[in-house]
Amino acid sequence: MSNITIYDVAREANVSMATVSRVVNGNPNVKPTTRKKVLATIERLGYRPNAVARGLASKKTTTVGAIIPDISSIFFAELARGIEDIATMYKYNMILSNSDQNEDKEIQLINTMLEKQVDGIIFMGGNISEQHVQQFKSSSVPVVLAATYDENNEIPSVNIDYEQAAFEATQFLIEQNKAVPAFVSGLEETHINQLKYKGYARALNEAGLSVNESLIVKGDYSYSSGIEAVNQLLEENEKPEAIFVASDEMALGVIHGIQDKGYRVPDDIEVFGFDNTRLATMVRPTLSTIVQPMYDIGAVAMRLLTKYMNKEEVQDQKVVLPHRIEKRNSTK
């Protein structure tokens, strides 16, 4: 029975193949009674339209591409989950590719996705360069950025207010300790990293404190770079009262690095993270952090993409979701 064709459905329902095709592809120009009859026949015969053949006919493959820096990062894994769930809800398949945040690879992947005739692309990456923007704008399909910033706001995107979130985290630590917190930032000069730095500097400024460059150490968002960063901080400076870390994964490294040196968190040094991934509750003491709703960012980005793909009206192409502080045991 598995080899039921569109021809069989048309014959059984006593309609033309064109009519069956219209029903399958959701074309509105079919009488309701005819549509009902065709759908009943499809169900009875167990007809499964071939997605590729259907794609060729409609020029749509019902596939979306997601380009992600690193699926092994818990941050991006939670984002991808949000994308996938909404894609499934709207009956889209997803092709996922890792770019390692390498610009040449990113550009190549975008081209590969377009060759595979995806209907839309969700892009997550570090820096959105002029080359990216040109490629997105000349793309034959819509592109939405997730947790990724385009400074010129030319490409639709879903983010949080990173500058304000970093400001609130730093302000919280200053109020706790009345001292300058150290800052473990991201390595690349991405726009998001710059925004986090600006928020950190603004909080110091408003508290009448000055930025001390030796208290700012760069990591690459990995756990091991958190350990290295805190070792460097403790070697070069007097012990800071608190450390604000640009991601949860690095913050775990920071906590363990502090403990390896014989200090206690939060009694000797407070630690504050950013993202609120699952890692935040897996570490001891549990991590105070900025809640960035990764799943929601992925879900909203995918929903925004469906609007563009279906030519629905889009009110706001730059979506900013709310963040908040989640206080746990790594701060007093």
Side-chain angles (χ1 to χ4, degrees):
M1 285 296 279
S2 61
N3 293 340
I4 299 289
T5 66
I6 190 167
Y7 174 76
D8 301 318
V9 176
R11 195 188 58 225
E12 286 284 319
N14 203 14
V15 295
S16 70
M17 284 196 275
T19 302
V20 177
S21 174
R22 281 191 204 107
V23 171
V24 166
N25 289 304
N27 186 317
N29 303 332
V30 182
K31 280 198 298 218
T33 48
T34 309
R35 180 185 305 280
K36 212 168 162 187
K37 182 168 71 169
V38 170
L39 287 172
T41 309
I42 284 173
E43 187 143 337
R44 187 162 53 80
L45 295 179
Y47 170 60
R48 278 201 172 67
N50 175 328
V52 173
R54 205 167 70 202
L56 291 173
S58 68
K59 293 285 180 287
K60 279 195 164 56
T61 53
T62 59
T63 300
V64 292
I67 296 174
I68 202 163
D70 179 11
I71 194 64
S72 69
S73 145
I74 200 160
F75 174 83
F76 289 111
E78 289 181 24
L79 248 169
R81 186 74 228 206
I83 295 168
E84 165 100 305
D85 285 358
I86 301 299
T88 304
M89 194 167 108
Y90 283 90
K91 300 195 165 43
Y92 284 95
N93 302 313
M94 187 163 101
I95 300 174
L96 192 63
S97 293
N98 286 285
S99 69
D100 306 319
Q101 264 183 28
N102 166 326
E103 187 173 339
D104 293 339
K105 194 169 175 192
E106 285 172 348
I107 301 291
Q108 182 198 333
L109 282 173
I110 296 162
N111 284 326
T112 306
M113 295 264 180
L114 293 172
E115 280 164 21
K116 287 190 173 148
Q117 294 186 308
V118 294
D119 295 334
I121 292 173
I122 292 187
F123 184 85
M124 291 152 270
N127 247 344
I128 296 297
S129 67
E130 214 27 64
Q131 197 183 355
H132 285 102
V133 173
Q134 287 318 321
Q135 199 176 21
F136 293 148
K137 285 168 97 175
S138 64
S139 159
S140 50
V141 301
V143 177
V144 171
L145 307 176
T148 304
Y149 235 88
D150 160 29
E151 294 175 71
N152 306 320
N153 293 327
E154 293 180 87
I155 312 297
S157 63
V158 182
N159 289 284
I160 63 165
D161 186 337
Y162 303 100
E163 195 273 348
Q164 180 62 24
F167 168 79
E168 288 168 18
T170 310
Q171 190 180 48
F172 171 81
L173 292 174
I174 292 169
E175 282 167 6
Q176 298 272 94
N177 298 290
K178 309 288 180 275
V180 177
F183 178 37
V184 176
S185 76
L187 190 60
E188 307 100 348
E189 288 302 309
T190 65
H191 196 51
I192 289 178
N193 281 336
Q194 287 163 5
L195 290 169
K196 288 177 184 175
Y197 173 78
K198 274 184 187 158
Y200 168 77
R202 176 161 70 94
L204 293 182
N205 204 356
E206 288 192 14
L209 299 166
S210 52
V211 173
N212 174 352
E213 289 297 334
S214 72
L215 287 176
I216 300 172
V217 184
K218 292 185 174 180
D220 64 4
Y221 283 105
S222 69
Y223 170 78
S224 57
S225 76
I227 295 180
E228 284 164 27
V230 80
N231 286 344
Q232 190 184 328
L233 262 176
L234 294 172
E235 269 166 32
E236 292 177 10
N237 303 276
E238 285 180 30
K239 175 183 73 64
E241 295 292 315
I243 305 175
F244 169 43
V245 191
S247 83
D248 285 354
E249 191 169 323
M250 283 198 301
L252 258 66
V254 168
I255 287 176
H256 291 154
I258 290 168
Q259 291 165 342
D260 290 347
K261 287 266 190 282
Y263 293 113
R264 287 164 310 167
V265 178
D267 305 351
D268 299 321
I269 306 174
E270 295 188 64
V271 178
F272 197 101
F274 201 111
D275 295 334
N276 197 41
T277 51
R278 295 198 306 275
L279 294 173
T281 53
M282 292 177 177
V283 65
R284 292 295 173 271
T286 54
L287 181 66
S288 297
T289 189
I290 289 287
V291 176
Q292 171 163 223
M294 274 84 51
Y295 179 90
D296 296 354
I297 289 175
V300 171
M302 183 61 216
R303 177 64 189 109
L304 188 58
L305 189 66
T306 63
K307 285 185 177 178
Y308 283 109
M309 291 188 297
N310 298 325
K311 313 236 180 324
E312 292 172 49
E313 189 190 346
V314 174
Q315 296 287 329
D316 188 7
Q317 73 157 18
K318 184 186 177 188
V319 182
V320 180
L321 295 180
H323 64 269
R324 62 184 168 81
I325 281 180
E326 180 68 56
K327 192 183 169 326
R328 295 198 183 92
N329 300 327
S330 65
T331 52
K332 290 174 192 153

